[in-house]
Amino acid sequence: MRAHSHTDQVARLTRLPLILLLAGIAALAMFVPALHALLAGEHTVSRSFAYSGALGLMVVALITLATGGTARREPSDLDNLRSLCLAFAALPVFLAVPFYEGLRTTTFLNAYFEMVSSFTTTGATLYERPERLVDSLHLWRGMVGWLGGLLMWIAASAVLAPLNLGGFELTASAEPGQSIYAQGRFERAGSGRRVAQATAALAPLYVGLTGALWLFLAIGGDRPLVALMHAMSTMATSGISPIGGVANAGSGVAGEIIIFFFMMFGLSRLTFSSDTVTSQRPGLHNDPEFRLGMVIVLGVPLMLFSRHWLGALDTEQVEDLPSALSALWGGTFSVLSFLSTTGFESAHWQQARDWSGLGTPGLILMGAALMGGGVATTAGGVKLLRVYALYLNGQREMERLVHPSSVGRAGARSRRMRRQGAFVAWIFFMLFAMSLALVTVILAALGMTFEQSIILAIAALATTGPLTQIAGDVPIVLNVMAPMAKLVVCAAMVLGRLETLAIIALVSPSLWRD
């Protein structure tokens, strides 16, 4: 009887709108910084989180009771996609309330910007001086980013994959934004139950990996809060830090090495789950995303490194082995960090910059962030699988130049990745470029310089906020932006997190037919 009752409760929960469940989870999460602030003696901050959490739970419970008797059907995939879009745009309003009330020296727009940046795992912050925020507010920023990362892990297999969005349009045979009924895996359960199954499978893994990284960093010498936030930021690829980045952490190079290996989870879904298929053959070594990512992570720093030798053959710096190794490590760590759209800067990045001799090597990191990480991971950007699809198409066109009558590789999946997949990837590139141009022009019209506008647009659309501090000659002070410019950047962050194809799918007539 008890098991049957538990099944009924799960069934009721799966019929609730996804946005309502997310609001309830956000309200529960507020009690963690409330307790932390209480133990730290920050009673005003503690009350703001506790009251906001209690009020949020009451509102969610009342809405659930009010709609409990009118639930006609389980939410569809498009309903969940709409809830996902609403979550990234509207839920930060609720998340910003305790942050605004606890800080008391900022505007609500700034608090909203901070929460959108955290929840979309962008990590751009208006508070360049970390000491302005107490530890509990830093913890809330990190938690919001961590929960946003977990949401993307779950949404990838439960919401985006069945609709062939988020990169899955390259591997499926259906049109982007339309359900594919041939994939029996996704049709065994309803939409709500699929979300529950994905959560049950992935949440323990996400929590376990975060806990393991937290333990390693704490052993390495970081304060517990710093270690926890850097662990959460690494798994969510948000780059949020209470001390201005890992370069200032007590764990030093050892901590960077540990974080380096955990950032690889942002390169491919197959590093942590096989619930969605992005590779023709099983195994991480056969995954095109992971292989392409490792080529970039190893190749770009070596190019920067070798450039120094080419320019310094007649100097005595070539014998400075410790400096050379530091520069190589700084480049390798930073390239992986920005390729996974985490945005942590190595403590040795400055040495890598000096060693390369380039005026603005931050542009290389901007290119890595634009390329992005793996499909269905917490990383943003264009995604490695789309880049690989265009590479395959280019390779095939080169073969046809040499052998016009040659026959391509057999297999439906190979043809899909090479022809239709490349076509869809190219469409996405064009949509991304148009979005980038539009955001850049709007920001320039609102008073930003061209350099600032394009860096902000790329940082927002690639969900890599730290680019604003490292890509240009001087860091961009986000706090002095006009209110409209902040709202434009917020919209760009939501667009970058959900991707243009998902936004287009939302205008599907089937979504509004009911």
Side-chain angles (χ1 to χ4, degrees):
M1 177 69 85
R2 185 173 298 173
H4 183 68
S5 175
H6 176 71
T7 305
D8 289 342
Q9 290 176 355
V10 172
R12 286 196 201 96
L13 283 176
T14 58
R15 290 184 178 277
L16 291 176
L18 184 60
I19 183 65
L20 202 59
L21 293 172
L22 294 175
I25 293 170
L28 283 172
M30 289 179 183
F31 291 102
V32 176
L35 180 60
H36 182 274
L38 182 63
L39 295 175
E42 299 285 347
H43 298 294
T44 302
V45 176
S46 179
R47 282 195 297 269
S48 66
F49 278 100
Y51 294 164
S52 299
L55 184 61
L57 285 176
M58 287 176 58
V59 172
V60 168
L62 289 173
I63 294 175
T64 304
L65 287 173
T67 60
T70 59
R72 299 185 303 276
R73 58 175 177 82
E74 193 172 289
S76 66
D77 291 319
L78 281 171
D79 288 333
N80 284 339
L81 182 62
R82 179 174 57 183
S83 288
L84 202 60
C85 181
L86 195 61
F88 284 115
L91 193 58
V93 174
F94 174 47
L95 300 173
V97 171
F99 187 88
Y100 169 72
E101 293 292 338
L103 184 55
R104 294 184 297 172
T105 59
T106 190
T107 64
F108 190 80
L109 176 60
N110 286 355
Y112 173 76
F113 180 99
E114 197 75 15
M115 291 299 103
V116 171
S117 176
S118 298
F119 198 49
T120 57
T121 72
T122 303
T125 180
L126 297 174
Y127 310 99
E128 284 84 5
R129 293 186 295 108
E131 61 272 12
R132 184 179 172 186
L133 305 180
V134 298
D135 284 349
S136 301
L137 295 177
H138 280 303
L139 176 62
W140 181 236
R141 291 172 59 231
M143 284 182 61
V144 170
W146 184 79
L147 290 171
L150 176 59
L151 177 61
M152 288 311 299
W153 263 30
I154 294 168
S157 61
V159 179
L160 298 179
L163 291 170
N164 306 307
L165 295 171
F168 293 105
E169 69 275 7
L170 273 66
T171 58
S173 57
E175 293 299 320
Q178 301 298 321
S179 297
I180 173 169
Y181 294 97
Q183 294 179 358
R185 166 211 298 267
F186 294 117
E187 297 304 320
R188 291 174 191 164
S191 174
R193 187 166 294 278
R194 192 163 55 242
V195 172
Q197 290 172 348
T199 304
L202 294 174
L205 180 63
Y206 192 72
V207 173
L209 289 171
T210 306
L213 181 53
W214 178 19
L215 180 63
F216 291 147
L217 293 177
I219 293 173
D222 284 344
R223 281 197 302 129
L225 178 74
V226 174
L228 175 62
M229 284 198 58
H230 285 172
M232 291 193 295
S233 300
T234 301
M235 293 309 303
T237 67
S238 64
I240 298 171
S241 173
I243 55 173
V246 296
N248 304 319
S251 54
V253 176
E256 288 186 8
I257 293 173
I258 296 167
I259 289 174
F260 180 86
F261 287 105
F262 277 82
M263 282 193 295
M264 290 184 183
F265 289 107
L267 294 184
S268 170
R269 180 80 171 186
L270 294 183
T271 53
F272 58 86
S273 176
S274 58
D275 61 341
T276 52
V277 179
T278 58
S279 175
Q280 183 178 0
R281 295 188 296 269
L284 193 60
H285 61 285
N286 290 319
D287 182 32
E289 287 189 307
F290 191 78
R291 288 161 59 187
L292 178 60
M294 293 313 297
V295 166
I296 296 168
V297 169
L298 298 176
V300 172
L302 283 175
M303 288 175 61
L304 290 174
F305 189 69
S306 61
R307 188 183 185 280
H308 173 84
W309 299 102
L310 294 174
L313 290 175
D314 56 344
T315 69
E316 297 180 357
Q317 293 182 2
V318 292
E319 282 87 16
D320 190 2
L321 185 61
S323 176
L325 292 176
S326 296
L328 184 60
W329 168 251
T332 305
F333 178 90
S334 298
V335 167
L336 176 58
S337 178
F338 281 84
L339 183 66
S340 65
T341 68
T342 305
F344 282 142
E345 178 186 347
S346 171
H348 298 287
W349 171 243
Q350 187 59 47
Q351 285 177 267
R353 293 182 61 163
D354 297 340
W355 189 270
S356 69
L358 292 174
T360 54
L363 292 176
I364 295 175
L365 300 183
M366 192 189 297
L370 263 179
M371 197 170 297
V375 164
T377 65
T378 54
V382 170
K383 302 293 170 56
L384 291 170
L385 193 63
R386 294 189 177 102
V387 177
Y388 178 72
L390 292 177
Y391 160 75
L392 279 186
N393 191 61
Q395 184 185 48
R396 175 61 185 149
E397 293 301 318
M398 293 288 288
E399 290 173 357
R400 292 178 64 185
L401 285 175
V402 180
H403 303 289
S405 300
S406 64
V407 178
R409 290 189 298 274
R413 187 181 290 272
S414 294
R415 287 195 298 272
R416 169 66 185 169
M417 179 66 80
R418 193 176 61 248
R419 291 183 183 175
Q420 300 98 324
F423 177 69
V424 175
W426 186 249
I427 289 176
F428 180 85
F429 265 93
M430 291 300 98
L431 290 173
F432 192 92
M434 289 170 61
S435 304
L436 179 60
L438 180 63
V439 174
T440 302
V441 168
I442 294 175
L443 288 175
L446 291 172
M448 310 292 290
T449 65
F450 175 75
E451 181 186 2
Q452 290 176 334
S453 299
I454 197 163
I455 290 175
L456 275 169
I458 292 174
L461 291 172
T463 65
T464 316
L467 274 176
T468 59
Q469 307 302 307
I470 194 175
D473 291 331
V474 294
I476 300 174
V477 183
L478 301 177
N479 204 22
V480 299
M481 288 193 302
M484 277 304 299
K486 292 175 183 175
L487 288 175
V488 169
V489 174
C490 284
M493 288 189 286
V494 174
L495 180 62
R497 180 74 279 179
L498 277 176
E499 298 187 351
T500 319
L501 287 175
I503 302 296
I504 292 173
L506 282 174
V507 301
S508 169
S510 60
L511 182 64
W512 310 102
R513 192 171 295 152
D514 188 5

